[in-house]
Amino acid sequence: MRFLVDGQPVECARKENLLVAMLKAGQHPTGGGCLCMAGDCGNCLATVDGVSYVRTCQTTARPGLVVERHPASGEPPLPADHLQRKETPIRYLFCDVAVIFFGPDEAGQAEVESARGAGKEVLVLNSAEGREAVAIYAGPLVVARTESEVLHVKVCDEIVVATGAAEIQPVVPGSELAGLVTARAADALAKQGVDLGRVVAVGTPPSEVECTRVEGRLLRFEGQGKVEAVVTSDGDKETRHPCDTVAVGLGLHPRDQLYLMAQDLSVPVRLVGEATLEATVPRCPQQGVICPCSAVSRQDLDFTWDSGFREMELIKRSTLAGTGACQGMTCIPYLRSFIEEKGGELQPRFTARPMTRQLTLGEIAAGGHHAPDLRTALHDEHLRLGAWMERSGPWWRPWNYGDPVAEYWAVREGVSIMDVSTLGKMLVSGPDTLRFLEEIYPTRVGTIKEGRSRYVLLLDERGYVFDDGLVAKESDTRYALTFTSGGSSHSEMWLRDWAHGLNFDVRILNQTYSLGAINVTGPQSRVLLERLGLSEPLKFMHFTDGVIAGVPCRVFRLSFTGELSFELHHPSEYSLKLWRALLEAGADLGIRPHGLDVLTLLRLEKGHIIVHQDTDFDSTPRRIRHEWMVKLEKEHFIGRQALLRTNALEPDKALVGFEMEGEPPIEGATISFDGNYAGFVTSSGYSHVLGKAVLMGHLYYFDSALPREVQIEGRVARRVDTPFYDQEASRARA
Amino acid sequence: MPELSAFERLPATRLVSTEQAIEKLLVSPRWSSKVVVLRFAADEALLLGGQEQARTIIGELDPHAIVINDHSFAGAWFSEEEAADLLQRHCEWQPPAGRPAYAQGAVAGIPTKLWFAEDGRVLVVVQTVYLADFEERFR
């Protein structure tokens, strides 16, 4: 079998280790550095099939694999734009006991057998078997990766960390040469057929490789690209040992990062086996590179110490030592000995945090989801009719159907329909319903008669407006409520919290997703509905239950557009049937659908607010000039006390209307008066029926008065009363 | 895994009442234990069948109860193996071990109801407003 290394084919055997195959072909992945064959060092990294920082010693070669060696210095290139990356799949696993290995560990294996013997569901995560644990989070959650997916493991009883110990890496001059391996790596490579040549062992020798063991302190490696000799010292005398490979056995330090990051979890976490060893603290060299990943030299460390940074965490943050590809597996032992040498105190390694390995963005994002986009039952129908769809809050909604001006005039002169299924809709039933709603709303609910509805605001405890809608009375103990499309979830929570907290005996049902709603609007809307079953004329703000085009509907007479309007609330499974029946029956009336583009303009001409567009976080009913909707004489409602206080203050700003010549300004545009900041535009549009720009905005008072003329985008805007069109609302109340 | 076109609107009844009334309904001798009851909350349930019995019994127990048709939920049955694979890949919380059982929560980030039947099959239920996103996340 063959794979490619920097464009050149390299032979490999089936299931052969990738690093082994590369070394057999004379290719060192990074050009040099001591290899550990255990995933600890950063010296075997390569870009594999477009993914950088892959540890080739932990990877299996496959035919056709594309390997690009990392550059000797600097970072590997970013992935090419044309590469399509598939989503990384995730798998959720559950167990009683998770045992984590980085290769064989007898103590860990004993834990596995013991837990299984006790009848526990045991999950083994062993990097040597392709399941590498990279993080432990509160939860507890163990995150592991395989070559193809990410695992999220939820553990019920216990986590056992049997991750063994890493061999100390050399950091003397020449440590960047090829031909350097740890003692255990020498055994592993030789076992897999890599020819190591003449092997010289410094420190603890490999157990199975024939080698020459040398005594003395390791001073440096010599060679050009590849090691040719190792130099040791015995007191004053230096000895040079020619070789092809140097196997270094400088001691061990525990791989306990996963254990250290998993403190204070809700399940016990135990460290077993070689991972409990006391770390070897090698002497820190007096010169040379101590952290090869971040190129931090002994000189850098001395400067940092002399600058006053004398703790492990501070040295790390100041120099970035330990933050590179190997995450300190090379340099931490030497940083500890450096601090001990300088300050006389051996400090622990720096704080262990997830993750222990570089992950791809796909692996980090695995299992993550955007908030879902909701679709009404008419979504596909809108697309069929050529609608331009936009996200509005959590919903996909039609913006227009290709000709917003024609859609506008259909509403003004004929009849038009709009999908308003997104509206919040709830039912409240129970003996305490009226008392409950009187508490929730600043309006007098008790004066609403059966079969009638009233436009209401919702205020929070500070008297600020956070939603609006309708209250419609079915009976003394049952009311239907509506809310804004984006506010229904919050409003449901609001209702339930107050019902429960104040112990009201009510039942609350959120029907927002269950009911569709279609707004039929325009001077011909009544004609259209009479054709389809509306048998009696419905007065303004009344509602009735009936059948329209064979569909059971609750018909509300109201108006958001400023024209004669009816809202048909119906079970959502009938939306398409009702929609198409309306379009068919209204063909001779010039019916066409309209979307948000037209709706927002029509309601602006009517001066109707959109909560959270025309209201700010601190909009009281007074500030938005909706005091007529508040009955302060009610004994109590949520926000009443706050309104009593804020109404006693001098008014500071108000939501007002403006008109301008020319193009309407952008929403959000600054309002100026006499060179001073005076507010901002909240809604803006060109009124086709009026032939000018109309807008609303928050305007500050100056000397206790609202200015009559202001500047917006360098042009004059005149403050006018709203509604801008049909001020008596005669068209809506026709 | 079966095609998501297997999801169909469920002819169901939405019930909102006091916790005590719902409990009494479920143990009433007039109530059929064969009806699948998805208990969304202490005071709310979706009934897959038994609408008339529910209206009658609950009407006696709680005259203010809300009992209405609701066909806005879509569901599909999966075999035990299909469901196990689906949940392992998309459900970060542990499903219940007992059968029959009801559970609800996010599956692939979408609010989902799960009914684990005694025969091992699993009914996966989502509201139709979420169905398109649900399908996309399983592609």
Side-chain angles (χ1 to χ4, degrees), chain A residues 91-92 154 370 429 514, chain B residues 62 64 70 88 92 133 137:
Chain A
R91 199 166 286 273
Y92 299 100
K154 303 276 178 76
H370 294 295
S429 171
S514 308
Chain B
D62 176 14
H64 300 288
D70 192 332
Q88 199 177 76
E92 62 179 291
D133 263 26
R137 291 172 189 200

Side-chain angles (χ1 to χ4, degrees), chain A residues 100-180:
Chain A
I100 302 172
F101 294 85
F102 271 27
D105 188 283
E106 278 182 21
Q109 193 53 42
E111 293 286 338
V112 171
E113 283 155 20
S114 168
R116 283 183 178 151
K120 300 285 187 182
E121 187 74 39
V122 179
L123 192 72
V124 171
L125 298 167
N126 191 342
S127 63
E129 293 167 4
R131 283 183 163 186
E132 180 185 17
V134 297
I136 301 179
Y137 291 94
L141 169 68
V142 179
V143 178
R145 54 147 27 145
T146 71
E147 282 194 24
S148 58
E149 62 187 2
V150 167
L151 307 177
H152 280 200
V153 181
K154 303 276 178 76
V155 184
C156 293
D157 291 348
E158 188 180 37
I159 299 173
V160 179
V161 179
T163 43
E167 296 178 275
I168 303 270
Q169 290 264 323
V171 293
V172 295
S175 294
E176 72 284 356
L177 294 171
L180 308 179

Side-chain angles (χ1 to χ4, degrees), chain A residues 370-384:
Chain A
H370 294 295
D373 294 314
L374 310 178
R375 297 176 195 214
T376 72
L378 291 168
H379 184 90
D380 290 343
E381 179 72 355
H382 297 318
L383 295 175
R384 189 184 72 79

